[in-house]
Amino acid sequence: MSEINRAVKGTNDILPSDSHNWQFVEGKMLEIAKLYGFNEIRVPVFEHTEVFLRSVGDTTDVVQKEMYTFDDKGGRSITLRPELTAGVIRSAIENGLVNAALPVKVCYIGGCYRYEKPQAGRLREFHQFGVECIGSAEPSADAEVIALAGQVLADIGVKKISLEINSIGCPECRKAYHAALKEYFASNKDKLCGTCLDRLERNPMRILDCKSPVCSGIAAGAPVVLDYLCDDCKAHFESVKEYLKAMGISYTVNPHIVRGLDYYTRTVFEFVSGDIGAQSTVCGGGRYDGLIAQMGGPQVPSLGFGMGIERLMLVLKSQNAELPKAQKPDLYIAPLDRSARLKAAELCAKLRAEGYKTETDLCARGLKAQMKFADKIGAKFSLVLGEDEITLKKAKIKNMLDGEITEINLDKIEEDFGEIIREQIFKNIAEVI
Ligand code: ATP
Ligand code: MG
């Protein structure tokens, strides 16, 4: 197949047969976010490269290996967003949200771009749902953001997923931790990969997130950050746990979580699934108390998370979650000739104006082929429209499931068809009872 017929490696089409699942999932995300007071923000797909260098951090995998960066025709260095937090914070500073009544609670859904090795759950274009709670340093905010992510997963239909939390402290307590890490990794220097050797000098915590099996093997025995927390960070973490308990949210403390982006401080968390193989983190987030100041804004503490929608879809599929079925047409109108097609268009317009999902022939097919098509698209009812029906202004509506026929008046098709639909609903309810 030539390139023109092939999507770029690591990108996926979401086809009409699957898009209703995406609409359901994204609808739930926005609905639950609203329930917690988070309103949607939409930011550009690309930003000045500096936005990501300053925030994500130049010793991370994302910046070192994964960004889609190019010069535009005006000579600016532009990067397709690898995540949304950086752009959202850039916007919050630029538009004065960080000076408004705090906390400002926003959510987003959007595409992200990372040049990674494509595999199950790891794409070059993927989608994230996320939230940012800007302007609270309180542990209650950490718990609220975690609760929101948990409720989204549960309400969408994820049956089993575990929440892992950790604290990676503040810049103060991290000094001692960095020193301990440096000492530990220096003794394993000859085994570390090239990238991690560089990280050893500049940001030893990043080694803990290295994907190479050798480095991660060494990292498994490294000192854990929880042992190095200052009193304030320790108290914050204890309080987050208390809030989670009060909200009935179960978790495990995993002292090895450090997250792949540099801006995190204190609380970090992941929702991890055992059902989707190696790419098991569906949602990752945490606090980033220093990020807004680091990006040129005021000192405003914040936190948030990003949830990978493709990975979430894999979890739903592997757990056989029940998602709502795609909506089928209420009625298919099958015209027999050219003038009937015109009448069919008129009837469709009337029915659609009343909200009935109505379809008709757009390919000038014969009756047999039309009925086959009506069956294929799952129409609940059908109506054959010929000269007689048009002259007498009467037609028969056929229930495609049980074959039952009801006669209707074409002049008041919306009323008569409405009656049929209501009867059908009562019949369905009666069957359930
Ligand atoms: P990983 O360790 O798996 O590379 P990450 O730490 O780079 O993940 P984040 O930057 O925290 O991930 O992004 C949040 C979420 O976005 C992840 O938990 C995951 O669900 C999703 N995600 C990240 N990268 C990809 C990708 N390349 N393809 C699909 N989903 C992704
Ligand atoms: Mg990654």
Side-chain angles (χ1 to χ4, degrees):
M1 223 190 288
S2 77
E3 280 191 347
I4 199 168
N5 300 118
R6 209 175 49 210
V8 174
K9 191 173 166 184
T11 68
N12 268 346
D13 299 308
I14 297 162
L15 298 175
S17 53
D18 195 28
S19 58
H20 65 282
N21 291 326
W22 279 73
Q23 285 166 4
F24 164 73
V25 163
E26 293 180 353
K28 273 279 172 214
M29 289 167 163
L30 295 176
E31 181 190 319
I32 307 294
K34 237 180 235 160
L35 189 66
Y36 284 72
F38 289 70
N39 289 316
E40 192 187 7
I41 182 167
R42 299 189 188 195
V43 292
V45 166
F46 52 84
E47 299 275 351
H48 292 292
T49 301
E50 192 60 27
V51 170
F52 303 111
L53 296 185
R54 277 275 197 104
S55 54
V56 173
D58 59 2
T59 54
T60 59
D61 271 355
V62 170
V63 168
Q64 288 188 331
K65 308 180 192 162
E66 300 170 0
M67 292 209 304
Y68 278 93
T69 298
F70 58 95
D71 285 345
D72 73 4
K73 289 187 170 51
R76 300 168 194 90
S77 180
I78 298 291
T79 295
L80 300 186
R81 61 187 183 200
E83 53 106 57
L84 274 90
T85 300
V88 168
I89 295 307
R90 189 270 310 140
S91 170
I93 297 171
E94 185 176 348
N95 295 294
L97 304 188
V98 291
N99 306 313
L102 298 176
V104 167
K105 304 199 282 188
V106 296
C107 67
Y108 58 76
I109 292 177
C112 302
Y113 304 85
R114 297 185 190 181
Y115 193 77
E116 299 201 65
K117 194 166 159 240
Q119 50 200 292
R122 194 175 291 289
L123 295 154
R124 290 183 176 172
E125 181 190 59
F126 62 99
H127 298 81
Q128 277 188 357
F129 159 68
V131 312
E132 314 295 348
C133 177
I134 300 169
S136 168
E138 287 300 305
S140 53
D142 305 39
E144 185 167 298
V145 163
I146 292 172
L148 196 172
Q151 186 165 351
V152 164
L153 293 167
D155 283 14
I156 284 171
V158 173
K159 290 180 207 118
K160 210 175 96 238
I161 196 150
S162 36
L163 166 64
E164 301 185 353
I165 62 170
N166 191 22
S167 173
I168 57 172
C170 63
E172 262 323 296
C173 40
R174 219 175 280 168
K175 277 183 199 152
Y177 184 52
H178 273 189
L181 280 180
K182 265 192 180 163
E183 196 185 319
Y184 173 78
F185 284 118
S187 62
N188 290 286
K189 215 169 170 179
D190 45 333
K191 296 183 211 124
L192 294 178
C193 73
T195 321
C196 283
L197 275 180
D198 174 54
R199 289 166 170 162
L200 183 56
E201 291 314 312
R202 297 170 61 200
N203 190 353
M205 242 172 86
R206 283 271 67 82
I207 304 175
L208 300 175
D209 207 36
C210 182
K211 299 280 191 293
S212 116
V214 178
C215 296
S216 49
I218 299 168
V224 293
V225 61
L226 283 179
D227 294 336
Y228 292 82
L229 295 187
C230 66
D231 287 347
D232 283 353
C233 287
K234 232 183 249 167
H236 183 94
F237 193 45
E238 288 312 310
S239 185
V240 170
K241 290 194 266 184
E242 246 179 288
Y243 273 103
L244 290 177
K245 213 166 155 209
M247 294 171 99
I249 297 167
S250 22
Y251 61 85
T252 51
V253 173
N254 176 354
H256 296 286
I257 298 177
V258 290
R259 308 293 311 127
L261 314 173
D262 263 357
Y263 49 63
Y264 287 114
T265 49
R266 291 195 164 169
T267 316
V268 288
F269 62 92
E270 294 186 350
F271 282 86
V272 184
S273 166
D275 294 320
I276 54 172
Q279 270 53 252
S280 56
T281 305
V282 175
C283 175
R287 205 164 247 297
Y288 48 87
D289 289 345
L291 178 63
I292 294 178
Q294 198 177 306
M295 290 184 71
Q299 176 54 51
V300 172
S302 301
L303 82 156
F305 66 74
M307 188 182 285
I309 305 183
E310 282 81 359
R311 285 191 200 173
L312 172 57
M313 290 300 193
L314 291 177
V315 173
L316 291 171
K317 206 165 155 209
S318 77
Q319 297 186 351
N320 287 320
E322 250 185 68
L323 300 179
K325 301 240 172 343
Q327 253 196 356
K328 297 288 188 312
D330 294 312
L331 177 65
Y332 180 87
I333 302 180
L336 295 179
D337 55 28
R338 196 169 182 283
S339 62
R341 278 203 288 277
L342 198 63
K343 183 71 182 174
E346 179 196 318
L347 297 175
C348 277
K350 276 190 183 162
L351 288 162
R352 287 168 180 160
E354 293 302 315
Y356 299 113
K357 205 165 176 284
T358 316
E359 298 212 31
T360 187
D361 176 45
L362 298 178
C363 297
R365 287 193 183 110
L367 182 60
K368 207 171 148 205
Q370 285 197 58
M371 294 319 287
K372 218 167 136 187
F373 180 73
D375 229 18
K376 211 171 190 170
I377 61 174
K380 292 174 203 149
F381 295 90
S382 66
L383 181 165
V384 177
L385 195 65
E387 219 173 294
D388 287 353
E389 282 79 11
I390 294 172
T391 321
L392 298 171
K393 299 182 175 174
K394 284 206 169 101
K396 293 187 175 103
I397 300 250
K398 181 179 166 187
N399 184 322
M400 298 285 277
L401 266 187
D402 59 17
E404 192 186 345
I405 304 279
T406 314
E407 198 170 82
I408 60 144
N409 182 338
L410 286 184
D411 276 347
K412 52 181 189 71
I413 189 168
E414 39 319 9
E415 276 172 48
D416 288 3
F417 187 62
E419 194 53 41
I420 293 174
I421 289 277
R422 273 189 294 280
E423 264 172 35
Q424 181 69 36
I425 292 170
F426 288 135
K427 243 197 312 195
N428 291 347
I429 293 173
E431 262 170 38
V432 172
I433 293 169

